[in-house]
Amino acid sequence: MSILKKLALAAGVSALLSSAAYADLSGKVIGFSQIGSESGWRAAETSVTKSEAEKLGIDLKFADAQQKQENQIKAIRGFIAQGVAAILVAPVVSTGWEEVLTEAKEANIPVILLDRGIDAPQDLYLTSVASDQVKEGHVAGDWLVKTVADKDCKVVELQGTVGSSPAINRKKGFEDALAGHANLSIIRSQTGDFTRAKGKEVMEGFLKAEDGGKGICAVYAHNDDMAVGAIQAIKDAGLKPGSDILVVSIDGVPDIFQAFVAGEANATVELTPNMAGPAFAALDAYLSAGTVPEKFIITESKLYTPADDAQGEYDRRKGLGY
Ligand code: AHR
C-alpha cells in the first residue's frame, strides 16, 4: 500500500474514532440553566455551549435565568420532570443549591457545574468545569504589584455579583497578592454586578468620592465589562484610563483588547468561554464507560497585557459570540 493510501486510511480511522468518541451524546436531551447575559463573556459561553452541543448532535434545552437563582431552580426542576440525560448549570450564587441538586441526584440525572462553584456536598454534582478564581485574582494582583513597584498605589475594586463564587474568590486572590505590599491598598470596593452599566455607575461614585479620581492609582474589576464601564467613567471625569488610572480586570473579551489598542486598559486574565467542551467530554466518558471525571476540571488563567499583540487577540476573538 502506498504511503499516501496509508495516511488516508489513518485519517479516516481517526475521524471515525473522534465521532465515535461522542456517539453516546448524539440525540441526548441535555438541559442548560444559564445565568443570563450580564457580560460579553457570558454571551460567548452561551454561544459556544450551543455550538458544541450542535456539533455533537445534542438536543440542548436552554433556559436563561435572568440573574435569578429562583429561575435556575425552576428550570432545573423542569429538566428533571422532562427526564433529561444530564443538566449543565452555571450557578449565579454559591449557596442554596442542596435541595434541587438532591432532587436531580434522586432522579439519577448527572449535573455538571459550569464556570462558578457552589457550597454544597460534592456528591451532588458529577464535576465542575471552571477556572481557579482565587488564582485569577492573584494573577491580576501580582501584575499590579510588579507594575507599580515601590510607588504608593490606592486601588478601587469593582466586585462581581454579591454571593457569586467569582466575586468571592477573585477578591480573595487579589487581596492575597497585595498582602505584604504596604504601598498598595484597596481604598474602596463595591459590587458592579458584572455589568458594564453598573461598573460605570460605581466607578463614577468612586471618582466623585476621591476628589475627581486624583488619589486613585488603579481600578481592579472582577470582569472586563465592568472595566469597560469604568474606562468610560474615567474618561468622562477628564482623566486618562490606562495611564492616570491603571485598569486591570478578568475575562479577555474582545472589547478589553480594543481598550489595550487604544491605550486605555493595562491587563486582563483570560477566562475561556469554552466550558462546555470539557463538560461534554466528561459526560460522554461517564455515560458511555462509567468513567467518573475529576471533581474539578480547571481551565487556564493566562495574563494578557497590551504587549501581547492586542490587535491580533481582538481579531481572534471578535467572531466568537462575545
Ligand atoms: O463566572 C464567570 C464570570 O461571570 C465572568 O468572569 C463574568 O464576566 C461573568 O458574568
Side-chain angles (χ1 to χ4, degrees):
M1 195 186 298
S2 76
I3 292 219
L4 269 180
K5 261 192 183 161
K6 277 186 193 160
L7 284 175
L9 201 63
V13 169
S14 85
L16 265 177
L17 281 176
S18 64
S19 54
Y22 285 95
D24 270 329
L25 295 187
S26 176
K28 290 252 182 329
V29 180
I30 294 178
F32 176 27
S33 167
Q34 177 59 293
I35 291 169
S37 51
E38 73 282 3
S39 66
W41 185 88
R42 182 71 50 204
E45 187 195 47
T46 295
S47 90
V48 170
T49 306
K50 286 181 177 173
S51 71
E52 287 294 308
E54 200 180 319
K55 271 192 247 164
L56 300 173
I58 292 167
D59 181 2
L60 191 77
K61 303 288 178 205
F62 179 78
D64 179 336
Q66 311 208 327
Q67 314 297 318
K68 291 201 176 86
Q69 184 181 35
E70 68 207 63
N71 290 345
Q72 293 204 281
I73 291 174
K74 221 184 274 170
I76 294 169
R77 291 208 164 111
F79 295 146
I80 296 170
Q82 280 175 63
V84 297
I87 295 170
L88 306 180
V89 54
V92 60
V93 290
S94 55
T95 56
W97 296 101
E98 242 177 278
E99 198 179 321
V100 72
L101 295 192
T102 302
E103 292 167 27
K105 191 178 178 190
E106 282 168 3
N108 254 322
I109 299 175
V111 170
I112 298 185
L113 307 180
L114 296 189
D115 76 83
R116 293 189 183 182
I118 59 172
D119 293 334
Q122 291 181 6
D123 65 327
L124 294 181
Y125 51 94
L126 179 67
T127 184
S128 158
V129 184
S131 56
D132 177 340
Q133 295 159 346
V134 174
K135 181 176 170 191
E136 289 171 330
H138 216 290
V139 170
D142 282 344
W143 173 84
L144 189 62
V145 165
K146 278 195 200 109
T147 301
V148 302
D150 293 336
K151 212 183 94 183
D152 280 337
C153 183
K154 293 194 168 99
V155 185
V156 295
E157 179 183 31
L158 292 166
Q159 296 181 38
T161 301
V162 174
S164 69
S165 70
I168 297 163
N169 295 328
R170 289 173 184 172
K171 179 166 186 51
K172 180 183 176 348
F174 188 78
E175 286 172 353
D176 289 352
L178 264 55
H181 299 276
N183 57 318
L184 285 121
S185 56
I186 301 169
I187 55 165
R188 290 181 188 272
S189 182
Q190 206 177 306
T191 182
D193 213 9
F194 282 129
T195 70
R196 200 170 286 213
K198 233 6 205 356
K200 177 169 180 281
E201 185 189 314
V202 174
M203 189 67 197
E204 283 165 355
F206 288 162
L207 290 161
K208 225 179 254 167
E210 294 298 325
D211 195 17
K214 289 191 194 83
I216 302 173
C217 144
V219 54
Y220 164 50
H222 290 189
N223 80 345
D224 288 345
D225 277 71
M226 291 190 293
V228 170
I231 288 169
Q232 192 54 51
I234 296 167
K235 291 205 278 193
D236 293 349
L239 295 172
K240 285 201 184 100
S243 44
D244 290 334
I245 298 181
L246 300 173
V247 179
V248 52
S249 52
I250 293 167
D251 272 357
V253 304
D255 284 357
I256 209 73
F257 287 99
Q258 236 174 1
F260 282 1
V261 173
E264 294 177 345
N266 309 86
T268 189
V269 184
E270 184 182 39
L271 175 66
T272 176
N274 186 7
M275 303 281 159
F280 289 142
L283 183 64
D284 182 70
Y286 178 70
L287 294 179
S288 59
T291 309
V292 177
E294 294 287 321
K295 196 49 82 174
F296 297 98
I297 299 173
I298 309 288
T299 62
E300 215 194 330
S301 302
K302 186 171 177 242
L303 178 77
Y304 283 88
T305 70
D308 296 307
D309 182 19
Q311 184 63 51
E313 291 302 334
Y314 170 77
D315 292 339
R316 265 188 283 288
R317 287 166 171 78
K318 68 175 186 237
L320 296 176
Y322 285 98

